[in-house]
Amino acid sequence: MEGRVYKSTGSWYFVKDNDGDFVKAKLKGKFRIKGLKSTNPVAVGDLVNFEIEKTGDEAVGIIDEIKERHNYIVRKSVNLSKQTHILASNIDMAFLLITYNNPPTSTTFIDRFLVTAEAYHIPVTLLFNKVDSYELEEFAEMKFLAEAYREIGYECIGISALTGKNIDQVKEIMTGKTSLVSGHSGTGKSTLINALEPGLDLKTSQISEQHLQGQHTTTFAEMFDLSFDARIIDTPGIKGFGVVDIDKNELGDYFPEFLALKQECKFNNCLHIDEPHCAVKDALEKDEIHYFRYQSYLQILDSEDDNYRKDQYQS
């Protein structure tokens, strides 16, 4: 039988078969995807083949094949630095929720997510959430950030998942597609999904006053069918986003504004650090490239650092 994985708990998977029925399934024996050291060999969004085994009155699916993935979003595993964790696979687009100060979303976090999405050809829309709660100065800073990313070519929308502001725009973008929503804990992922489909009534939680962090209300990734011809994958909140499997000579290609200047650099393998006649460095000096983007690039380039793990909410 064939089906699509809708939920993963690490050991059990909930698969929707071609008839629209859900089957509780597990992996057949020891199963690993060739060439990928992942903490979760099966991810939400995977298309799988499975067989039904009956133990008494209970029917359990046994997954024996994972079909080739069209794409996936992957990051470094927080607990096992040499392994990866796949957030979801076979997605048409991704939403990254961004908040200014409750909790704060750093540009480094945003850029690491965008680089990974670029590497796997996944379009990203940046959702600047909680716009109803900002003071004038905070709103101006978020507007500046949104304009900076629009200049690069990313779609940016200011929303309030709580009040419903611009949720119709989000619905229009995701109709007919499978979308992933990601971001720090507390940025409003579950609140957004509830706004898109109130009948789901997903659990939400308050921000921790101690560190301005959200509480982890989503423990496992899960996909939901929505009433307006769309699917959305809710993912657990993450503190840091570790980039994996990207060659340093290709990293600049995943910064669209760097890629646009690549042909103007003197050297084909220019890393945009200290090489002479570097078009990216020239543009940086002329303020034609945002410095915060270049900082993100340098940090990712330094593959030995673990800054993506640091708790940015502590002093």
Side-chain angles (χ1 to χ4, degrees):
M1 299 179 68
E2 294 182 350
R4 185 184 296 269
V5 177
Y6 267 63
K7 185 176 182 178
S8 163
T9 66
S11 55
W12 286 97
Y13 308 94
F14 294 85
V15 180
K16 186 176 183 181
D17 65 23
N18 291 338
D19 295 326
D21 297 321
F22 281 93
V23 177
K24 186 178 180 181
K26 61 182 180 180
L27 280 176
K28 182 177 182 179
K30 291 185 177 180
F31 195 101
R32 290 291 178 269
I33 296 175
K34 186 177 180 181
L36 186 65
K37 294 180 180 179
S38 174
T39 57
N40 57 330
V42 178
V44 170
D46 277 344
L47 295 170
V48 297
N49 285 339
F50 63 96
E51 299 176 352
I52 297 294
E53 281 189 4
K54 286 196 174 181
T55 305
D57 294 333
E58 186 181 19
V60 174
I62 306 297
I63 298 172
D64 55 20
E65 182 186 359
I66 301 171
K67 304 216 173 196
E68 185 176 355
R69 291 169 175 146
H70 171 62
N71 60 30
Y72 54 88
I73 287 278
V74 62
R75 70 184 183 108
K76 283 184 181 178
S77 171
V78 174
N79 297 322
L80 300 167
S81 61
K82 292 184 179 179
Q83 287 199 310
T84 62
H85 180 79
I86 301 171
L87 296 183
S89 69
N90 300 319
I91 58 179
D92 298 309
M93 65 169 298
F95 293 110
L96 184 64
L97 256 67
I98 298 165
T99 48
Y100 176 75
N101 58 5
N102 53 346
T105 306
S106 70
T107 52
T108 301
F109 177 85
I110 297 170
D111 293 336
R112 285 176 177 273
F113 187 91
L114 292 176
V115 162
T116 298
E118 289 283 347
Y120 292 97
H121 309 290
I122 298 170
V124 177
T125 294
L126 301 178
L127 299 180
F128 292 81
N129 194 19
K130 306 183 183 182
V131 294
D132 57 305
S133 66
Y134 297 136
E135 301 292 337
L136 190 61
E137 185 177 334
E138 295 171 340
F139 187 82
E141 290 193 33
M142 289 295 279
K143 190 173 181 181
F144 165 78
L145 198 59
E147 285 301 322
Y149 282 106
R150 283 195 188 102
E151 289 173 14
I152 298 167
Y154 292 104
E155 185 166 19
C156 300
I157 305 174
I159 68 166
S160 171
L162 194 62
T163 67
K165 179 179 177 63
N166 290 336
I167 295 301
D168 285 344
Q169 284 188 46
V170 179
K171 280 187 175 182
E172 186 177 345
I173 293 170
M174 62 189 297
T175 298
K177 299 173 183 173
T178 297
S179 307
L180 172 140
V181 59
S182 187
H184 291 312
S185 297
T187 51
K189 296 182 297 298
S190 296
T191 305
L192 170 63
I193 296 174
N194 285 336
L196 293 166
E197 196 72 67
L200 288 175
D201 195 24
L202 298 187
K203 182 182 176 185
T204 60
S205 185
Q206 298 298 314
I207 300 292
S208 162
E209 292 184 3
Q210 184 178 5
H211 294 128
L212 288 177
Q213 290 178 254
Q215 304 301 300
H216 291 274
T217 54
T218 303
T219 309
F220 307 105
E222 184 171 4
M223 181 156 57
F224 300 96
D225 292 323
L226 306 180
S227 59
F228 52 95
D229 183 30
R231 286 190 293 237
I232 193 162
I233 300 172
D234 189 16
T235 59
I238 47 182
K239 287 183 182 179
F241 200 95
V243 175
V244 293
D245 297 333
I246 293 180
D247 186 277
K248 67 178 183 179
N249 292 302
E250 297 176 358
L251 178 60
D253 295 349
Y254 304 129
F255 284 75
E257 68 272 45
F258 293 13
L259 180 61
L261 297 170
K262 184 177 181 179
Q263 298 302 321
E264 298 177 31
C265 290
K266 180 177 181 179
F267 300 104
N268 293 331
N269 59 347
C270 184
L271 288 179
H272 319 306
I273 300 177
D274 51 16
E275 297 89 343
H277 306 294
C278 170
V280 170
K281 292 294 293 290
D282 289 345
L284 187 66
E285 290 179 7
K286 297 175 184 175
D287 291 329
E288 295 170 355
I289 285 178
H290 290 284
Y291 186 66
F292 72 83
R293 288 279 287 173
Y294 185 69
Q295 280 184 309
S296 294
Y297 169 78
L298 292 180
Q299 192 186 84
I300 299 171
L301 197 64
D302 180 12
S303 59
E304 297 304 314
D305 84 3
D306 273 340
N307 287 338
Y308 79 94
R309 293 174 186 275
K310 292 182 180 176
D311 187 347
Q312 61 178 316
Y313 309 106
Q314 298 193 7
S315 58

